Amino acid sequence: MTITAVIMAGGKGERFWPKSRTHLPKQFLNISGSKSMIQQTIARLEKLIDITHIFIVTNELYAELIRAQIPNLPADNIIIEPIGRNTAPCVGLASLIIEEKFPDSTMVVLPSDHIIENDEGFIKILRTAVEVAREKDNLVTLGIQPTYPETGYGYIESTKQIQKVNDLDVHKVNKFVEKPDLETAQSYLDSGNFFWNSGIFIWKTDVIRNYIKQLMPDMHDVLETLKKAFQTDTDRNQLIRNEFYKMPDQSIDYGIMEKVSNIYVIPCVFGWDDVGSWTALDRINDRDENGNVIKGNILNLDTKRCIIESNGKLIATLGIEDLIIVDTEDVTLICTKDKAQEVKLLLKELRTQKLDQYL
């Protein structure tokens, strides 16, 4: 049984601006620990999957960063998208290339920029997910046990149909639901059968290709064109550039997962965080006696529940609460914590004012 992995690494991490930038996005930064987020993802996967079986889908801007940060990854395992088209085309293109190299493989699809504290628990769950995926051609996802009513995540609702596999509960999925408002999120938390959507999926390569054929025929046609062209033309990157623009801009959740019935979710508790915005630092770092997360050259008095990061120069604060202050070489961000999810609005304004040098 061959296990492969597809790491999605094309995002710009805009809610982590100004530290995450177009030329060096979040997944290539050291947010927590001694390695970048993508290096941590690779190291975690290598406890189960050989590096030659790990593929990274990214764009041309980041191919060199990947080669520099992960020098032992085979060059052919870097799959370059010419343009972002959401997760369905990413999965489709990767499945085509993997099916050619490893035709009987089971794919693990996951983001490049999530934190997982318990690697051993994660690998145990992945092994079980692979078993479930290979049984009756199931699709499997990992659901994070919610600990508070988060409105920034999608949710997965499970049914009462539960089986035990390797001492783990495996739930039949009822449906995927979009990001809720606070009241709805609280009802999900209270119900006990809703899980945060981790964006981690496991399935047999030929199974997901077959679902793409059934449910996303336009994308399937593009993939078949590429498959035939790959057999005769050695410049695969150019072929992908020529055809990828024809792909639909659609998520794998909407294109496949919301439309099929044989989906299972494994509830997980392994210290997961998607590090979606600056407020994630409250969850993944130690705080001082006043609830502050401090990094760098900081002097603070009467400062409470703030996230402050210095790039070298002294940041002095007095009498402030619930603020995010991030200083980089050319930009200083100051915003309230409740606006952390809206940092992308600043980037939109930068583009409007043609201040692209700060993006």
Side-chain angles (χ1 to χ4, degrees):
M1 176 182 67
T2 302
I3 306 174
T4 58
V6 176
I7 299 172
M8 299 177 287
K12 295 180 180 177
E14 291 187 334
R15 285 175 296 174
F16 237 81
W17 183 87
K19 194 167 181 180
S20 180
R21 308 291 276 268
T22 299
H23 66 280
L24 190 66
K26 181 179 67 171
Q27 60 268 34
F28 300 105
L29 297 175
N30 177 355
I31 303 295
S32 175
S34 59
K35 298 178 180 179
S36 73
M37 302 193 80
I38 194 168
Q39 287 172 328
Q40 291 181 44
T41 301
I42 289 282
R44 190 177 302 123
L45 285 173
E46 282 192 283
K47 295 175 181 178
L48 177 66
I49 304 169
D50 189 88
I51 190 69
T52 60
H53 292 60
I54 297 174
F55 295 77
I56 299 178
V57 183
T58 188
N59 60 56
E60 290 179 283
L61 279 175
Y62 307 138
E64 285 304 319
L65 277 171
I66 290 170
R67 293 185 187 104
Q69 290 202 1
I70 313 164
N72 59 333
L73 183 76
D76 288 347
N77 289 24
I78 301 174
I79 302 170
I80 297 174
E81 296 176 318
I83 187 172
R85 278 286 189 261
N86 216 317
T87 54
C90 170
V91 168
L93 180 60
S95 69
L96 174 68
I97 291 169
I98 289 173
E99 190 178 42
E100 181 183 53
K101 287 190 173 187
F102 307 107
D104 189 34
S105 74
T106 302
M107 289 171 57
V108 177
V109 180
L110 71 167
S112 60
D113 55 359
H114 289 183
I115 283 176
I116 292 173
E117 295 176 358
N118 182 356
D119 286 359
E120 185 178 330
F122 175 69
I123 294 303
K124 178 184 177 181
I125 289 171
L126 273 193
R127 290 185 190 278
T128 299
V130 168
E131 282 188 39
V132 177
R134 295 188 71 86
E135 180 186 343
K136 299 181 181 178
D137 296 342
N138 297 315
L139 305 182
V140 184
T141 185
L142 305 189
I144 308 302
Q145 195 82 48
T147 52
Y148 60 94
E150 173 62 58
T151 59
Y153 300 152
Y155 284 71
I156 301 166
E157 182 186 14
S158 69
T159 68
K160 294 180 180 179
Q161 184 180 334
I162 303 173
Q163 57 180 305
K164 284 280 188 183
V165 181
N166 300 333
D167 295 324
L168 293 172
D169 287 342
V170 179
H171 298 237
K172 189 82 160 41
V173 169
N174 183 38
K175 64 181 178 181
F176 287 72
V177 293
E178 298 300 322
K179 298 174 183 178
D181 59 28
L182 184 59
E183 184 179 353
T184 305
Q186 184 63 54
S187 71
Y188 291 167
L189 183 64
D190 295 340
S191 75
N193 66 321
F194 281 81
F195 306 97
W196 291 335
N197 185 351
S198 69
I200 301 172
F201 304 105
I202 303 93
W203 43 53
K204 289 168 63 178
T205 313
D206 59 341
V207 170
I208 196 64
R209 292 274 287 122
N210 189 47
Y211 276 122
I212 290 170
K213 182 178 181 180
Q214 291 177 37
L215 301 171
M216 304 187 72
D218 292 346
M219 190 169 90
H220 173 74
D221 290 345
V222 177
L223 293 174
E224 286 300 296
T225 299
L226 284 171
K227 183 177 180 179
K228 291 174 184 175
F230 284 173
Q231 296 168 2
T232 57
D233 195 316
T234 56
D235 191 350
R236 294 192 168 194
N237 284 336
Q238 187 57 50
L239 291 170
I240 293 168
R241 287 189 203 103
N242 293 342
E243 296 295 327
F244 200 82
Y245 291 89
K246 302 173 186 175
M247 295 276 201
D249 187 348
Q250 199 167 101
S251 70
I252 197 70
D253 298 59
Y254 182 79
I256 305 291
M257 304 300 281
E258 294 180 9
K259 297 180 170 70
V260 299
S261 60
N262 59 323
I263 306 178
Y264 292 85
V265 59
I266 302 178
C268 304
V269 181
F270 43 51
W272 174 90
D273 201 291
D274 78 336
V275 199
S277 70
W278 282 104
T279 52
L281 297 191
D282 274 336
R283 300 189 294 268
I284 65 176
N285 289 290
D286 293 331
R287 286 175 270 182
D288 69 13
E289 64 276 10
N290 292 312
N292 300 306
V293 175
I294 302 293
K295 184 177 180 181
N297 191 13
I298 313 294
L299 171 66
N300 67 86
L301 296 175
D302 191 23
T303 296
K304 299 175 182 177
R305 299 179 304 279
C306 289
I307 295 168
I308 309 173
E309 184 165 323
S310 166
N311 189 45
K313 71 178 175 225
L314 177 67
I315 297 178
T317 64
L318 175 63
I320 63 171
E321 299 180 359
D322 300 308
L323 290 183
I324 297 167
I325 303 173
V326 181
D327 184 55
T328 68
E329 187 175 334
D330 59 344
V331 176
T332 302
L333 168 71
I334 304 171
C335 75
T336 55
K337 280 186 172 180
D338 62 355
K339 295 291 185 182
Q341 295 286 346
E342 299 176 35
V343 166
K344 290 198 290 186
L345 295 176
L346 292 171
L347 279 71
K348 183 179 179 181
E349 185 62 24
L350 288 174
R351 293 186 183 99
T352 299
Q353 297 190 27
K354 296 184 168 46
L355 296 172
D356 292 359
Q357 70 269 30
Y358 299 114
L359 293 174

